[in-house]
């Protein structure tokens, strides 16, 4: 191969690497742009209880007139909020119950939250993986052992029991190497109890808004009707981890 051919091959390789890098960083850049636009225009301020009270009549009228369109728009907005990690997921979950009722609201929120969480998980796994992993070595080390024991059960526990913020549990598993086929189902199942609790509370917000009251969120997840199912599911999720640990000790004792 001639010198010119070698140079051409080298240049083509560099262009391919640069092109691949640009593609890899595109999702993260898009998320950053969306966050910047939302914050710059103050749109995130609409994700508040006050904004919900001010616009409730118009929102309810729109849902009555165009139910499925409203659900589609709500789901798209919820996915966007989750994928960009913007504050406001709690008020949106309450809004889901207020506008669509407990059943439809829970289904819509769980599906939307899972999709949004999966998007940021994939972005962290590809675009931002190396950079975030270097910045969070100590924190990742604390979680890594749990995921190595039983990734699905540990992921389920982290979703059922809010030990860490939702966005942290979206990103940390990606940095540890958890697979999508583990992350997505565990997220979907694990967020159902908490989502149901907030959506159920949201369904009764109409009367609260009409009276000008505030939403009693404090202590919501500590109510027995909510706490018992979460604890039960958490225990079930922990069983495989405990079984593996006991079995491992037994095997070492026999050797």
């Amino acid at each position: 191969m001639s010198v010119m051919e070698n140079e051409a091959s080298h240049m083509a390789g560099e262009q391919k690497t640069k092109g691949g890098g640009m593609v890899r960083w595109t999702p993260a850049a898009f998320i950053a742009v969306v966050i910047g636009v939302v914050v710059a225009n103050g749109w995130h301020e609409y994700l508040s209880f006050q904004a919900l009270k001010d616009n409730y009549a118009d929102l309810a009228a729109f849902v009555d007139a165009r139910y499925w369109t409203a659900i589609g728009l709500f789901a798209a907005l919820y996915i966007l909020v989750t994928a960009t990690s913007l504050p406001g997921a709690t008020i949106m979950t309450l809004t889901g119950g207020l506008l669509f009722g407990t059943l439809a609201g829970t289904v819509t929120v769980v599906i939307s939250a899972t999709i949004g969480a999966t998007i940021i998980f994939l972005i962290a796994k590809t675009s931002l993986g190396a950079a975030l992993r270097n910045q969070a070595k100590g924190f990742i080390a604390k979680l890594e052992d749990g995921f190595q024991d039983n990734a699905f059960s540990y992921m389920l526990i982290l979703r059922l029991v809010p030990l860490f913020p939702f966005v942290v549990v979206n990103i940390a598993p990606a940095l540890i190497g958890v697979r999508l086929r583990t992350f997505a189902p565990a997220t979907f199942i694990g967020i159902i109890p908490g989502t149901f609790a907030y959506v159920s509370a949201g369904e009764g917000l109409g009367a609260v808004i009409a009276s000008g009251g505030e939403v009693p969120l404090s202590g919501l997840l500590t109510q027995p009707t909510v706490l018992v199912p979460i604890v039960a599911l958490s225990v079930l999720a922990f069983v495989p981890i405990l079984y593996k640990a006991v079995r491992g000790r037994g095997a070492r004792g026999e050797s």
Side-chain angles (χ1 to χ4, degrees):
M1 183 180 291
S2 66
V3 174
M4 291 184 64
E5 289 176 333
N6 279 329
E7 290 181 355
S9 178
H10 180 69
M11 290 177 63
E14 287 185 345
Q15 290 177 354
K16 185 176 181 180
T17 301
K18 290 179 180 178
M22 289 179 64
V23 171
R24 184 166 61 89
W25 281 95
T26 297
F30 175 76
I31 293 295
V33 169
V34 170
I35 294 174
V37 171
V38 169
V39 174
N41 288 279
W43 294 337
H44 61 293
E45 295 177 4
Y46 286 98
L47 299 175
S48 66
F49 183 60
Q50 185 59 50
L52 178 59
K53 289 198 295 185
D54 293 342
N55 297 281
Y56 171 58
D58 292 335
L59 290 171
F62 183 77
V63 171
D64 288 340
R66 300 178 180 178
Y67 182 79
W68 291 109
T69 300
I71 280 190
L73 292 173
F74 176 82
L77 181 58
Y78 203 108
I79 291 170
L80 180 64
V81 169
T82 306
T84 55
S85 302
L86 287 168
T90 299
I91 193 64
M92 285 204 64
T93 303
L94 291 167
T95 302
L98 174 64
L99 297 179
F100 308 114
T102 299
L103 179 59
T106 299
V107 171
T108 304
V109 168
V110 168
I111 293 175
S112 302
T114 301
I115 294 173
T118 301
I119 290 173
I120 193 64
F121 169 84
L122 292 174
I123 291 175
K125 201 174 184 67
T126 55
S127 303
L128 305 176
L132 289 175
R133 194 177 295 108
N134 291 332
Q135 293 294 323
K137 287 181 179 178
F139 178 76
I140 290 175
K142 296 178 182 179
L143 297 178
E144 200 161 10
D145 291 341
F147 279 109
Q148 287 178 350
D149 288 338
N150 191 308
F152 183 85
S153 293
Y154 194 64
M155 186 73 221
L156 190 58
I157 291 172
L158 290 178
R159 288 305 190 193
L160 287 167
V161 184
L163 299 173
F164 304 102
F166 191 76
V167 62
V168 172
V169 185
N170 292 340
I171 295 174
L175 307 182
I176 295 170
V178 174
R179 295 183 178 184
L180 177 61
R181 67 187 183 190
T182 298
F183 176 86
T187 295
F188 181 87
I189 297 171
I191 64 176
I192 289 175
T195 299
F196 178 81
Y198 278 100
V199 172
S200 298
E203 188 174 13
L205 281 183
V208 176
I209 291 175
S211 65
E214 296 294 329
V215 185
L217 293 182
S218 59
L220 178 61
L221 292 180
T222 62
Q223 297 297 320
T225 55
V226 175
L227 187 59
V228 170
I230 292 178
V231 171
L233 287 171
S234 300
V235 171
L236 288 175
F238 186 72
V239 167
I241 298 176
L242 181 62
Y243 172 75
K244 187 174 181 179
V246 172
R247 185 179 179 184
R249 291 178 183 176
R252 288 194 297 270
E254 292 175 359
S255 60

